[in-house]
Amino acid sequence: MTRILLIEDDAETAESVIAELADRGFEVQWSPDGIDGLDRARSSCPDALIVDRMLPGMDGLTVIEALRKDEVGTPVLVLSALGAVDDRVRGLRMGGDDYLTKPFALIELVARVEALLRRPTDSRETTLRAGPLELDLIDRTARRGEREIDLLPREFRLLEYMMRRSDQLLTRAMLLEEVWNYKFVPATTNLIDVHMGRLRHKVDGPGEMQLIHNVRGSGFLLRVRQ
Amino acid sequence: MRQFHFIRSNTFLWALAVAAAFALFVVGLFAFIYWKIDDYLIVRSDRMITTQIDFLARLPSARRVNAITDHLEQDSRGVQYAGLFDAAGARLAGNIQRVPQELELDGVVQGVRLDRITQSTDHDPVVRAAARRLEGGAILVMGRNVDETREISSVVGQALALGLLPAFCLCLLAGACLSIRAQRRVEEVNQRVRRIVAGDLRERLPQDNVDDPFARLAGIVNGMLDEMETMINALTGVGNDIAHDLRTPLTRARLALERGRTHAATLEQLHEVVDKAVAGIDQSLAIVTALLRLAEIENNRRMAGFGDVALDEILREVCDVYEPIAEDKNVALGVAIDRKVQVWGDRDLLFETVANLVDNAVKFTPAGGMVRLELVSTDKTAFVRVSDTGLGINEQEREAVLRRFYRSDKMRHTPGVGLGLSLVAAIVKLHGFRLIIYPPPGGRVEILVSTGAKGPRPSTSRSRVTRGLTGRNVGGDAWLANGESRDA
């Protein structure tokens, strides 16, 4: 079972997060302050860490920095009410792998934790495969079985991102940040949906099994496992 | 107490120090003059004594007595000394009683005390004298009273007293005047600052039209106060705006939950209610996030990410992002780029600005219309132009659209929180660029970009328009939102 250590001082927030993660099959340990959290992180070697920035005893970023100095490479999701770009950058520079601003949706937190736990290996392969889909990363061509898919550059990047994280929920915020490199919430809220709709139209042809799924209120999923 | 403060004031102490230094300098100067004159007179007297003793020594001994008598009779000022003594030291002629013991008989002039036969002064005169032993053993003494130097020193002293005292007093008076003037100015500034601290934000420091450092400082502080007043007023306005605009989505969420709690009969209905409530809360959060970002940008805290940015790339990227959105709406979206343009700025913020303008253009252009994104450049400037075939922004709304939360009547039913153009204006201001809104027909917004100078030119202008944006007409009745105080 995957073990996650949550270092969060607010008991109510911690309770909701622990319940949601437990429902998803994770084993969660909770620590309400920085010093205790750092001790637990060192002693119990969890698979992932969720660390709040403002903690009693020791600041969350200091906890992460201390772990990184000990050469602990455990993936860390930073939680914070400080959402300015400079704060995010600082959080990532101090050793965080991802940054989630409070208040957040639980589904967003789970999706990001799963993404951290299943980070794609930085492989040097030139062809990417997921189910019937195949991407040639050199020629920038895409195929579904025998059928060639004509993709625009942005669609290619989007499909590549999804194939590297197949069978994993991808929230709109994650897609905006990673594929579109957006640092803000666009005024047009259905921006991702329109692009995804066009990609789905190209990937899931008539009579073919649907691969790209819209998870209502949460995001999108490239399902290749049957 | 006030006098004590005045005497203790820095300006007065400085004036006192300057006056003392001046007095010391004058005393030193007069002492030098006295010393030089004294030296000159003694040298002149020594020369005269040497000449006289040489002359009398060359005379035949029979004529010396008469010559000495004549020499002394012609001395109307009574400063001459002369004496002729035999080998035993007995006086033969002259007005000196005896040969002074300390006087060498080598003809060299030296300072000695001479006993005159008749002492005319009440003090021992300062005398320069020389003595020479003549052939036959006689001793000739010639001297001269150099008391003139005492007179000169007293004249110099009087001149010093007459000149120094008024000068010293004048220095002190100037220092006192300056001190009083500076204290008055500082006291006035103190009073006004106290009023500002007490909450009177309209108060300003006194600013004369003279070009002195104090006036310049007052000008800078007044500029700062202008900016603070504008920001505080804007903040007050924002507080009201937030209160109003957050209430709407929160009320929706509350009502949905309330109705759901009493009316939802099935799980599906409950889900629907929760979705509505979550949507309301999400919108509230979006407003808070946007406001925080706006504050961050307006407070110039986003300068860290500045660097060289390729504007043409940003335009292509925005076009690439919005092309499917426009196509969905049956709106043609085209991009025309003159040539590559590099500007100094924050890439993410500039992307957001162009994206916002294109987003609005696509949103408010009816189906079948067209949105055009252009980059027109010259050597020093460039225009990012977003034009569309929609209704455009009429004259009455040109300033209002830049205000936070402003929603035009024709926008009431479109999604958004009314902060897009506020963000655009703030980002444009941060970069020192200009935002120009043209009148209908059609929508046309331009960002005038400076490509010549590196770095933004921060705004220091006082403005009565929200968030320090100044408006004025440019060619064709366009509305200009400045990022700087200078005219174009």
Side-chain angles (χ1 to χ4, degrees), chain A residues 5-35:
Chain A
L5 173 62
L6 170 67
I7 311 175
E8 163 65 63
D9 58 329
D10 182 58
E12 275 191 50
T13 305
E15 196 183 332
S16 304
V17 170
I18 291 165
E20 184 69 23
L21 288 170
D23 287 349
R24 305 273 170 163
F26 294 105
E27 184 190 321
V28 189
Q29 264 194 320
W30 175 48
S31 173
D33 75 78
I35 297 167

Side-chain angles (χ1 to χ4, degrees), chain A residues 81 83-86 102-104 152-154 157 180-192 194-195 198 216, chain B residues 271-272 275 285 289 293 296 301-302 304 317 320-325 327-328 347-348 351-352 355-356 359 363 415-416:
Chain A
V85 175
D86 291 349
K102 286 179 179 180
F104 50 83
L152 294 169
R154 175 87 48 190
R157 275 180 59 189
W180 276 266
N181 202 18
Y182 260 54
K183 304 282 192 301
F184 62 99
V185 179
T188 298
T189 46
N190 68 340
L191 194 95
I192 300 285
V194 172
H195 280 270
R198 287 163 71 106
R216 189 167 168 242
Chain B
H271 278 177
E272 210 173 299
D275 283 350
L285 292 174
T289 306
R293 291 198 69 250
E296 184 193 9
R301 289 210 307 260
R302 272 298 299 265
E317 215 169 307
D320 175 35
V321 170
Y322 278 91
E323 195 268 331
I325 314 284
E327 198 178 299
D328 260 25
R347 194 190 182 284
D348 296 332
F351 181 90
E352 182 173 356
N356 247 312
D359 195 293
K363 205 185 288 179

Side-chain angles (χ1 to χ4, degrees), chain B residues 153-180:
Chain B
S153 84
S154 103
V155 170
V156 167
Q158 284 171 9
L160 183 67
L162 284 171
L164 180 64
L165 200 65
F168 186 76
C169 291
L170 199 67
C171 266
L172 273 186
L173 195 69
C177 286
L178 285 172
S179 176
I180 289 166

Side-chain angles (χ1 to χ4, degrees), chain B residues 123-262:
Chain B
H123 63 272
D124 287 339
V126 181
V127 177
R128 299 285 295 175
R132 188 183 287 185
R133 191 176 287 279
L134 306 172
E135 66 279 9
I139 298 167
L140 177 61
V141 179
M142 294 298 293
R144 185 181 167 85
N145 182 341
V146 286
D147 253 1
E148 287 166 311
T149 53
R150 285 176 186 253
E151 291 168 29
I152 288 164
S153 84
S154 103
V155 170
V156 167
Q158 284 171 9
L160 183 67
L162 284 171
L164 180 64
L165 200 65
F168 186 76
C169 291
L170 199 67
C171 266
L172 273 186
L173 195 69
C177 286
L178 285 172
S179 176
I180 289 166
R181 187 167 170 265
Q183 275 205 310
R184 274 187 187 155
R185 288 177 88 173
V186 168
E187 192 49 45
E188 192 177 1
V189 167
N190 286 348
Q191 283 177 7
R192 292 194 187 208
V193 169
R194 278 192 206 104
R195 284 202 286 271
I196 292 164
V197 171
D200 183 5
L201 291 174
R202 299 194 62 78
E203 186 60 83
R204 292 291 175 272
L205 302 191
Q207 206 177 329
D208 307 327
N209 287 329
V210 290
D211 187 30
D212 67 353
F214 201 87
R216 282 200 294 273
L217 177 67
I220 290 166
V221 172
N222 284 343
M224 184 183 78
L225 289 169
D226 290 345
E227 198 65 23
M228 279 169 65
E229 189 192 356
T230 307
M231 284 169 89
I232 287 166
N233 288 340
L235 202 66
T236 311
V238 169
N240 297 336
D241 289 341
I242 292 171
H244 176 266
D245 280 74
L246 279 182
R247 274 186 181 141
T248 310
L250 288 173
T251 305
R252 276 190 216 138
R254 195 184 185 287
L255 290 174
L257 288 170
E258 210 175 347
R259 277 190 62 77
R261 191 164 177 266
T262 50

Side-chain angles (χ1 to χ4, degrees), chain A residues 3-8 18 27-49 63 67 72 74:
Chain A
R3 290 178 307 114
I4 294 172
L5 173 62
L6 170 67
I7 311 175
E8 163 65 63
I18 291 165
E27 184 190 321
V28 189
Q29 264 194 320
W30 175 48
S31 173
D33 75 78
I35 297 167
D36 176 67
L38 180 59
D39 291 341
R40 284 182 193 232
R42 279 170 172 158
S43 59
S44 64
C45 301
D47 299 300
L49 280 158
V63 171
L67 287 171
V72 175
T74 312

